[in-house]
Amino acid sequence: MNTADVIVIGGGTGGYSTALRAAALGLRVVLVERDKVGGTCLHRGCIPSKALLHAAELVDGIAEARERWGVKATVDAVDWPALVATRDDIVARNHRGVEAHLAHAGVRVVRGSARLTGSRSVRVAGADADPGVREFTARRGVVLATGSRPRTLPALSPDGRRVVTSDDALFAPALPASVLVLGGGAIGVEYASFHRSMGARVTLVEAADRIVPLEDADVSRHLTRGLKKRGIEVQTGARLLDAELLDDGVRTRVRTARGEVRTVEAERLLVAVGRVPVTEDLDLAAAGVTADERGFVVPADWNRLETAVPGVHVVGDLLPPPSLGLAHASFAEGLLVAETLAGVASAPVDYAAVPRVTYSSPQTASVGLSEAEARARGHEVDVNTMPLTAVAKGMVHGQGGMVKVVAEAGGGRVLGVHLVGPHVSEMIAESQLVVGWDAEPGDVARHVHAHPTLSEAVGEAFLTLAGRGLHQQ
């Protein structure tokens, strides 16, 4: 029998951040991972997809150089194997880095599939490289961090070629000439944006009345405008009725918001309708833990992310809302749980102050409440929307976009900030601090933003709410 202070099941962002922090606090940690440490984010999500999106940004930049700036450049072709090799090198280097951090911290990484045998005990069936079955016990607690997988639809089984998930799309052998993306959340929008940059004909179908439906309505409106300007067909309030597999693609019928039935053919149908928690192999019942009807493990104490079974904690994609299913949120959750298990005081995760980003072109970034959410919670609000083209750097980029600030009426605290446009993923950190520290527009208005920058638009939005705006809208 192997004994540790903490057993972490799952080596993704939530799991390895828990392990690293717990080890730094002097705890003996066993981390069980059946695949590769780094999890979905590193190997099948955040990192490889953003590598592809950076390549797409370069392609778009060449088109802009030619069409807008008179730079006579063209893209002769996209060498997909070379692009993939660069992407995989980035992933591999990050993977080696995570492994090195864990080793340096003294975390024992066990390769295999974990199954709970009690609230403090785990059985691990070893992987090929680490065979055998071993039993582990935890003195202080077990952390569930097994992540999620793409949601699939019963009538649309992925075949890796014509019908694919976001995982499959990353590892496709070639770029398609046409794509129908089913799902207009962040994942669907990012893949629609990438494939359009690579020259594909793209149709984006979303059942809700707007894309990125969890974001502010103005974000959805500006993002839709930007995607359509790039030639992406966006169908909202639409439903996929059926799909017929062809030798070289799919033929689908889509009911539009107007009730019309359209036939859409594409070389690839990319299903991006969300993700589901991975819990089926854990044997939660053996530890007395239950999942809800959606598969999420709901904490009894959100301040400690502890289940109803003392000592069993949960982080990452296993958590239901208000957790966000975002890698950076799971890092914060891992820190909280590790510190809790070590007996160190730790503040709960403030999910309202966690930024949300869609890495499409244009990008979106937001933090805090949308205007509708703020009003629904009973706030009287002041709202200011500032186009990025109100500042010179926004005109230079020429991609449109906006800044929207939602604040309590009469100069009260800032409740939410919402951005659409180029590079806004790099601009949201300022607003994260503004929302997280309950700042008021007047507090922000005292700080000078560099000129000329896109962030001037953020500063100008706060200046206007504080009654000091130079470019009143």
Side-chain angles (χ1 to χ4, degrees):
M1 185 72 71
N2 298 283
T3 302
D5 294 313
V6 179
I7 300 172
V8 181
I9 304 176
T13 51
Y16 77 70
S17 62
T18 304
L20 287 171
R21 181 60 178 146
L25 292 170
L27 301 182
R28 292 182 59 194
V29 182
V30 168
L31 172 64
V32 184
E33 172 55 53
R34 64 184 178 186
D35 188 9
K36 297 177 181 178
V37 293
T40 293
C41 177
L42 176 52
H43 298 286
R44 298 176 297 279
C46 320
I47 306 307
S49 67
K50 276 52 183 184
L52 295 183
L53 285 163
H54 176 66
E57 184 180 9
L58 297 175
V59 173
D60 292 339
I62 293 171
E64 181 189 354
R66 180 181 64 253
E67 297 165 7
R68 187 165 182 246
W69 295 100
V71 179
K72 303 304 181 183
T74 59
V75 177
D76 295 330
V78 174
D79 185 339
W80 179 243
L83 192 158
V84 165
T86 301
R87 177 201 68 192
D88 291 349
D89 177 63
I90 292 167
V91 171
R93 284 189 284 131
N94 276 275
H95 179 221
R96 290 194 296 271
V98 173
E99 288 190 317
H101 283 310
L102 291 167
H104 180 74
V107 174
R108 181 181 176 187
V109 177
V110 177
R111 313 288 177 178
S113 298
R115 181 178 294 272
L116 295 165
T117 56
S119 62
R120 302 290 178 92
S121 58
V122 175
R123 175 178 294 133
V124 179
D128 292 340
D130 197 4
V133 175
R134 281 165 292 175
E135 306 282 345
F136 294 87
T137 58
R139 297 186 186 92
R140 301 205 182 190
V142 173
V143 182
L144 308 179
T146 48
S148 65
R149 64 173 180 271
R151 182 187 301 276
T152 58
L153 299 177
L156 284 173
S157 297
D159 65 2
R161 182 170 64 90
R162 295 164 297 183
V163 179
V164 301
T165 67
S166 56
D167 284 3
D168 301 324
L170 276 173
F171 304 106
L175 289 166
S178 56
V179 183
L180 190 156
V181 179
L182 184 61
I187 294 174
V189 167
E190 287 180 1
Y191 275 97
S193 181
F194 167 75
H195 283 99
R196 183 59 190 145
S197 297
M198 294 297 161
R201 174 174 55 83
V202 179
T203 302
L204 179 63
V205 175
E206 167 57 45
D209 61 359
R210 56 191 177 89
I211 59 173
V212 289
L214 299 181
E215 297 294 341
D216 188 273
D218 282 329
V219 169
S220 298
R221 180 169 58 85
H222 278 264
L223 178 57
T224 300
R225 180 187 301 164
L227 295 178
K228 287 183 174 180
K229 184 178 179 181
R230 297 183 55 212
I232 296 173
E233 180 182 354
V234 180
Q235 290 284 347
T236 55
R239 295 195 176 272
L240 183 72
L241 299 178
D242 52 45
E244 176 189 358
L245 295 181
L246 309 174
D247 290 340
D248 57 352
V250 292
R251 179 184 296 121
T252 67
R253 292 192 308 145
V254 175
R255 187 183 301 279
T256 70
R258 296 181 178 180
E260 303 166 345
V261 176
R262 292 188 50 213
T263 297
V264 180
E265 291 191 11
E267 186 176 326
R268 187 173 296 167
L269 170 57
L270 197 163
V271 180
V273 291
R275 300 183 65 86
V276 294
V278 175
T279 59
E280 56 270 17
D281 296 329
L282 276 175
D283 196 2
L284 295 173
V289 176
T290 58
D292 68 11
E293 65 280 1
R294 300 165 296 176
F296 292 115
V297 179
V298 184
D301 183 352
W302 278 91
N303 291 332
R304 297 165 54 89
L305 296 180
E306 189 171 28
T307 69
V309 178
V312 180
H313 297 255
V314 58
V315 299
D317 288 1
L318 295 188
L319 288 167
S323 181
L324 301 169
L326 300 172
H328 46 284
S330 69
F331 279 127
E333 292 158 357
L335 294 176
L336 167 62
V337 168
E339 290 164 358
T340 297
L341 289 168
V344 174
S346 187
V349 179
D350 181 2
Y351 290 105
V354 174
R356 306 175 298 275
V357 178
T358 303
Y359 295 86
S360 52
S361 178
Q363 294 182 353
T364 77
S366 60
V367 63
L369 302 179
S370 68
E371 180 180 352
E373 287 171 334
R375 295 187 189 280
R377 296 188 187 190
H379 295 285
E380 293 186 11
V381 297
D382 288 333
V383 176
N384 185 44
T385 301
M386 178 75 58
L388 285 186
T389 51
V391 298
K393 196 64 179 294
M395 296 180 193
V396 170
H397 282 278
Q399 296 180 27
M402 62 107 191
V403 176
K404 180 175 181 177
V405 178
V406 180
E408 291 176 330
R413 63 195 175 101
V414 177
L415 301 173
V417 180
H418 309 275
L419 313 176
V420 180
H423 309 301
V424 296
S425 59
E426 305 294 342
M427 294 165 55
I428 196 62
E430 170 189 12
S431 298
Q432 176 189 2
L433 297 177
V434 169
V435 171
W437 285 342
D438 293 331
E440 298 174 355
D443 298 326
V444 185
R446 289 196 294 270
H447 297 279
V448 179
H449 288 73
H451 173 79
T453 61
L454 291 172
S455 64
E456 275 186 286
V458 177
E460 184 64 31
F462 285 113
L463 280 165
T464 300
L465 280 177
R468 301 174 62 199
L470 301 176
H471 304 86
Q472 302 287 345
Q473 299 298 309

